[in-house]
Amino acid sequence: MKKTQKPGKKTSAVIVILLGLLCAVSTVKSCAAKRAAVQDKVDDVVYVGQGSYDPANDGKIVIVCGKLKVLEPAYDDELGLTIYAPRAMRSAKKMKLKEWNGPMTEENMEWDSDLGGLGIFLGKADVGIYHLSDEFLENLMLGREYEFDEEMLEEAGLTILTDRKYRGEKFIGTQRMGRGVFEEGDRRYQYSVPHQSDGDMVTVIGLQEQGTLTHVKGATPNMLSGELDKKIALKKSGMSSGGISIFRVVVTILLLLTGIRMLMKKRDQKESESGL
């Protein structure tokens, strides 16, 4: 009875390389299809700029330029703080002792991220003559740390805390904590808001529904600083690119490298055997 011969290393290497090439072709085709779909979407975008409202654009993606007007600032009702921004996110850290029965010293305290203290707050805002929907505001990108007025904090029984261990980062905490008196379970907070502030000239991309702009999937960010033209606004919002699947690219590279490595190893093995 004959034994079934297993495929050689060279054959396996060729198979791996072929798989890599097939994956590469598939990635290119997928990218081309995505770009075509995105281009169709981009071609339908209407550039309004600082122009007036046109009912003919209802249901279409529009690019609008104008000054950001915060009609109603975000408000943290739990801590009683007003944040003069259309959207704000509160992050928190909770204090615990490294040694539960140890002293309440800076060396024995550590601050861990606390999801229970997380909060997101929305206000109301316009850009030019358009109102921004809650959905639009919910998708505003954040990234600027908000600085509070100390008098406002004092009225709410809070104060600014500076932590030397965290590169001098500033947090919001109770006035007791500001005096250096801590208890296990204490929370300290930071607030993140959009880079754009009330009165800034901005460019926004949204779906026009009468006088309101709602969020468009794929426009990230959906608010940009300054008065931008259509081409730059689409590029900065990420809408002018179909994107490439990073996973597919990584798999393609790994398959090709593995196949080539197997062929090189087989060649070196043959040279070694012929030299004996």
Side-chain angles (χ1 to χ4, degrees):
M1 187 175 178
K2 292 184 178 180
K3 292 183 178 179
T4 303
Q5 190 173 2
K6 293 182 180 179
K9 289 184 178 179
K10 185 175 181 180
T11 304
S12 299
V14 171
I15 292 173
V16 172
I17 291 175
L18 286 174
L19 287 173
L21 292 173
L22 286 172
C23 191
V25 171
S26 174
T27 300
V28 171
K29 285 184 177 180
S30 175
C31 183
K34 282 183 179 179
R35 283 186 180 279
V38 168
Q39 190 59 49
D40 288 341
K41 192 175 183 180
V42 164
D43 290 340
D44 293 334
V45 174
V46 179
Y47 185 79
V48 175
Q50 294 193 59
S52 59
Y53 164 71
D54 184 351
N57 293 329
D58 285 346
K60 296 180 181 179
I61 300 173
V62 295
I63 298 176
V64 175
C65 302
K67 287 190 176 181
L68 174 64
K69 292 177 281 188
V70 178
L71 306 175
E72 183 180 310
Y75 181 70
D76 182 348
D77 53 356
E78 184 179 343
L79 297 183
L81 293 176
T82 300
I83 305 104
Y84 291 94
R87 179 174 184 248
M89 181 176 75
R90 182 187 69 200
S91 58
K93 292 182 181 292
K94 182 181 280 189
M95 194 274 282
K96 71 173 184 178
L97 295 174
K98 295 178 182 177
E99 297 179 11
W100 69 271
N101 58 345
M104 192 71 69
T105 61
E106 204 170 273
E107 291 72 23
N108 195 39
M109 294 188 301
E110 60 182 4
W111 298 88
D112 295 331
S113 295
D114 177 32
L115 294 178
L118 182 70
I120 295 178
F121 313 98
L122 295 181
K124 296 187 183 301
D126 287 352
V127 168
I129 60 172
Y130 289 86
H131 183 65
L132 303 181
S133 70
D134 286 351
E135 183 189 15
F136 188 99
L137 296 179
E138 285 168 359
N139 286 277
L140 282 181
M141 287 188 69
L142 308 176
R144 177 170 63 90
E145 185 179 340
Y146 187 76
E147 295 182 11
F148 283 95
D149 178 75
E150 292 191 28
E151 288 185 10
M152 180 196 297
L153 290 176
E154 188 175 345
E155 289 176 5
L158 301 168
T159 190
I160 296 173
L161 308 173
T162 304
D163 192 327
R164 294 188 298 273
K165 285 186 176 180
Y166 282 77
R167 303 177 301 279
E169 276 191 84
K170 295 187 183 299
F171 299 86
I172 304 299
T174 63
Q175 292 179 349
R176 167 178 55 77
M177 293 163 65
R179 296 192 297 271
V181 180
F182 295 92
E183 297 176 0
E184 189 164 13
D186 278 344
R187 282 178 173 150
R188 62 186 187 184
Y189 305 94
Q190 286 178 317
Y191 290 79
S192 182
V193 295
H195 289 284
Q196 300 82 11
S197 302
D198 183 47
D200 287 352
M201 175 62 71
V202 298
T203 298
V204 293
I205 300 178
L207 186 69
Q208 178 177 305
E209 294 182 354
Q210 296 183 352
T212 299
L213 298 182
T214 63
H215 179 63
V216 175
K217 186 178 180 181
T220 307
N222 57 1
M223 180 183 288
L224 303 158
S225 297
E227 183 178 359
L228 308 177
D229 61 28
K230 180 177 180 178
K231 184 178 179 181
I232 294 176
L234 289 172
K235 183 178 180 180
K236 288 193 171 185
S237 70
M239 288 190 67
S240 61
S241 171
I244 298 175
S245 171
I246 300 300
F247 176 75
R248 284 191 177 189
V249 172
V250 171
V251 170
T252 299
I253 294 172
L254 287 176
L255 286 171
L256 291 174
L257 288 177
T258 301
I260 292 170
R261 194 177 294 113
M262 290 171 70
L263 285 176
M264 296 291 288
K265 190 174 181 181
K266 179 68 175 177
R267 187 198 64 181
D268 293 342
Q269 189 177 6
K270 277 188 176 182
E271 289 179 355
S272 177
E273 290 174 352
S274 63
L276 292 175

